[in-house]
Amino acid sequence: MPISWAYNRVGLFGGGVGIGSQGVYHFTDVVAGYAGPAEGGLGKIMLELGIFGFILLIWLALAFLGFFARVIRFSVASKSGNSSMVIGVYAFVLSNIPTFVVASALFGDLFVLSLLGLMASYLLASPTLIVRGKPTLTNGQGAALN
Protein backbone atom coordinates (compact mmCIF):
# COMPACT_ATOMS: atom_id res chain seq x y z
CA MET A 1 0.00 0.00 0.00
CA PRO A 2 1.54 3.34 -1.04
CA ILE A 3 0.43 5.14 2.12
CA SER A 4 2.16 2.74 4.48
CA TRP A 5 5.19 2.64 2.15
CA ALA A 6 5.46 6.44 2.30
CA TYR A 7 5.05 6.41 6.08
CA ASN A 8 7.83 3.84 6.43
CA ARG A 9 10.08 5.94 4.15
CA VAL A 10 9.72 9.45 5.58
CA GLY A 11 7.65 9.14 8.74
CA LEU A 12 4.65 11.02 10.03
CA PHE A 13 5.46 14.51 8.75
CA GLY A 14 6.47 13.70 5.18
CA GLY A 15 9.61 14.47 3.27
CA GLY A 16 8.67 17.83 1.77
CA VAL A 17 7.06 19.02 -1.42
CA GLY A 18 8.74 17.68 -4.53
CA ILE A 19 10.38 14.65 -2.95
CA GLY A 20 8.02 12.31 -4.81
CA SER A 21 8.32 14.05 -8.17
CA GLN A 22 9.43 12.23 -11.27
CA GLY A 23 13.15 12.41 -11.88
CA VAL A 24 14.08 13.69 -8.43
CA TYR A 25 16.52 10.80 -8.08
CA HIS A 26 18.68 12.39 -10.78
CA PHE A 27 19.55 15.28 -8.50
CA THR A 28 20.49 13.61 -5.22
CA ASP A 29 21.31 10.21 -3.82
CA VAL A 30 19.48 10.92 -0.57
CA VAL A 31 16.04 10.57 -2.17
CA ALA A 32 16.96 7.82 -4.65
CA GLY A 33 14.73 5.27 -2.91
CA TYR A 34 11.62 7.44 -2.92
CA ALA A 35 10.36 6.40 -6.35
CA GLY A 36 7.71 3.74 -6.92
CA PRO A 37 4.43 4.11 -5.06
CA ALA A 38 4.79 7.89 -5.22
CA GLU A 39 3.30 7.57 -8.71
CA GLY A 40 -0.18 7.36 -7.19
CA GLY A 41 -1.78 10.46 -5.77
CA LEU A 42 -2.42 9.22 -2.24
CA GLY A 43 1.09 7.83 -1.83
CA LYS A 44 2.56 11.03 -3.22
CA ILE A 45 0.54 13.21 -0.85
CA MET A 46 1.61 11.04 2.10
CA LEU A 47 5.24 11.01 0.95
CA GLU A 48 5.46 14.76 0.46
CA LEU A 49 3.07 16.26 3.02
CA GLY A 50 2.77 13.53 5.63
CA ILE A 51 -0.31 12.50 7.56
CA PHE A 52 -1.51 16.07 8.05
CA GLY A 53 -1.51 16.75 4.31
CA PHE A 54 -3.27 13.44 3.74
CA ILE A 55 -5.98 14.30 6.30
CA LEU A 56 -6.35 17.75 4.73
CA LEU A 57 -6.74 16.18 1.28
CA ILE A 58 -9.48 13.85 2.53
CA TRP A 59 -11.25 16.73 4.30
CA LEU A 60 -11.13 18.96 1.21
CA ALA A 61 -12.32 16.15 -1.05
CA LEU A 62 -15.29 15.40 1.21
CA ALA A 63 -16.16 19.10 1.49
CA PHE A 64 -16.11 19.62 -2.29
CA LEU A 65 -18.00 16.40 -3.05
CA GLY A 66 -20.65 17.32 -0.45
CA PHE A 67 -21.04 20.78 -1.95
CA PHE A 68 -21.26 19.36 -5.45
CA ALA A 69 -23.96 16.92 -4.27
CA ARG A 70 -25.94 19.87 -2.84
CA VAL A 71 -25.52 21.67 -6.18
CA ILE A 72 -27.04 18.67 -7.96
CA ARG A 73 -30.00 18.56 -5.56
CA PHE A 74 -30.51 22.30 -6.00
CA SER A 75 -30.37 22.14 -9.79
CA VAL A 76 -32.83 19.24 -9.91
CA ALA A 77 -35.21 20.93 -7.44
CA SER A 78 -35.15 24.25 -9.29
CA LYS A 79 -36.11 22.61 -12.61
CA SER A 80 -33.77 25.00 -14.40
CA GLY A 81 -33.19 22.74 -17.38
CA ASN A 82 -29.47 22.37 -16.84
CA SER A 83 -29.67 19.64 -14.21
CA SER A 84 -28.55 16.98 -16.70
CA MET A 85 -25.50 19.12 -17.53
CA VAL A 86 -24.69 19.54 -13.83
CA ILE A 87 -25.03 15.78 -13.23
CA GLY A 88 -22.81 15.02 -16.23
CA VAL A 89 -20.10 17.43 -15.13
CA TYR A 90 -20.26 15.99 -11.60
CA ALA A 91 -19.85 12.48 -13.02
CA PHE A 92 -16.88 13.68 -15.07
CA VAL A 93 -15.20 15.18 -12.01
CA LEU A 94 -15.93 12.03 -9.96
CA SER A 95 -14.48 9.78 -12.66
CA ASN A 96 -11.11 11.49 -12.27
CA ILE A 97 -10.74 10.53 -8.60
CA PRO A 98 -9.65 6.91 -9.30
CA THR A 99 -7.25 8.22 -11.93
CA PHE A 100 -5.66 10.54 -9.35
CA VAL A 101 -5.33 7.68 -6.87
CA VAL A 102 -3.56 5.45 -9.41
CA ALA A 103 -1.59 7.85 -11.62
CA SER A 104 -1.20 11.39 -10.33
CA ALA A 105 1.42 12.31 -12.97
CA LEU A 106 -1.41 12.87 -15.45
CA PHE A 107 -2.58 15.84 -13.40
CA GLY A 108 0.65 17.70 -14.15
CA ASP A 109 -0.56 18.22 -17.71
CA LEU A 110 -1.83 21.74 -18.30
CA PHE A 111 -4.69 20.60 -20.54
CA VAL A 112 -6.00 18.13 -17.94
CA LEU A 113 -5.74 20.71 -15.16
CA SER A 114 -7.49 23.35 -17.28
CA LEU A 115 -10.30 21.00 -18.23
CA LEU A 116 -10.89 19.79 -14.67
CA GLY A 117 -10.67 23.34 -13.35
CA LEU A 118 -13.25 24.48 -15.89
CA MET A 119 -15.60 21.65 -14.92
CA ALA A 120 -15.17 22.21 -11.18
CA SER A 121 -15.67 25.96 -11.57
CA TYR A 122 -18.87 25.32 -13.50
CA LEU A 123 -20.13 23.21 -10.61
CA LEU A 124 -19.15 25.91 -8.13
CA ALA A 125 -20.88 28.65 -10.17
CA SER A 126 -24.01 26.77 -11.24
CA PRO A 127 -26.14 27.74 -8.19
CA THR A 128 -25.53 31.40 -9.00
CA LEU A 129 -26.27 30.81 -12.67
CA ILE A 130 -29.52 29.04 -11.76
CA VAL A 131 -30.66 31.78 -9.37
CA ARG A 132 -29.87 34.60 -11.80
CA GLY A 133 -31.42 32.84 -14.72
CA LYS A 134 -30.43 33.96 -18.18
CA PRO A 135 -28.26 37.07 -17.80
CA THR A 136 -29.30 40.07 -19.85
CA LEU A 137 -26.75 41.58 -22.20
CA THR A 138 -26.22 45.30 -21.71
CA ASN A 139 -24.55 48.00 -23.78
CA GLY A 140 -22.35 49.28 -20.96
CA GLN A 141 -24.76 52.02 -19.78
CA GLY A 142 -27.25 49.54 -18.32
CA ALA A 143 -29.66 49.44 -21.27
CA ALA A 144 -30.61 45.91 -22.31
CA LEU A 145 -29.73 44.70 -25.77
CA ASN A 146 -32.37 42.61 -27.52
Side-chain angles (χ1 to χ4, degrees), residues 56-71 90 93-94 97 120-121 123-124:
L56 180 66
L57 173 78
I58 299 299
W59 177 72
L60 284 172
L62 290 175
F64 273 110
L65 292 176
F67 178 76
F68 292 159
R70 287 192 303 272
V71 167
Y90 183 67
V93 170
L94 278 179
I97 292 173
S121 63
L123 286 175
L124 290 171

Side-chain angles (χ1 to χ4, degrees), residues 127-140:
T128 304
L129 296 173
I130 291 169
V131 168
R132 289 187 181 175
K134 183 178 177 185
T136 306
L137 297 174
T138 61
N139 65 0

Side-chain angles (χ1 to χ4, degrees), residues 21-114:
S21 299
Q22 294 176 345
V24 74
Y25 56 87
H26 292 294
F27 299 105
T28 180
D29 291 333
V30 176
V31 294
Y34 293 153
E39 177 70 22
L42 299 181
K44 191 170 188 174
I45 294 292
M46 183 67 185
L47 182 69
E48 293 182 353
L49 302 177
I51 193 68
F52 299 112
F54 186 74
I55 291 171
L56 180 66
L57 173 78
I58 299 299
W59 177 72
L60 284 172
L62 290 175
F64 273 110
L65 292 176
F67 178 76
F68 292 159
R70 287 192 303 272
V71 167
I72 287 175
R73 285 195 298 269
F74 178 72
S75 68
V76 169
S78 67
K79 297 183 182 10
S80 63
N82 70 342
S83 61
S84 60
M85 178 74 165
V86 171
I87 292 170
V89 170
Y90 183 67
F92 179 75
V93 170
L94 278 179
S95 68
N96 281 282
I97 292 173
T99 307
F100 176 76
V101 170
V102 174
S104 65
L106 172 70
F107 294 94
D109 183 29
L110 186 60
F111 175 72
V112 173
L113 288 176
S114 299

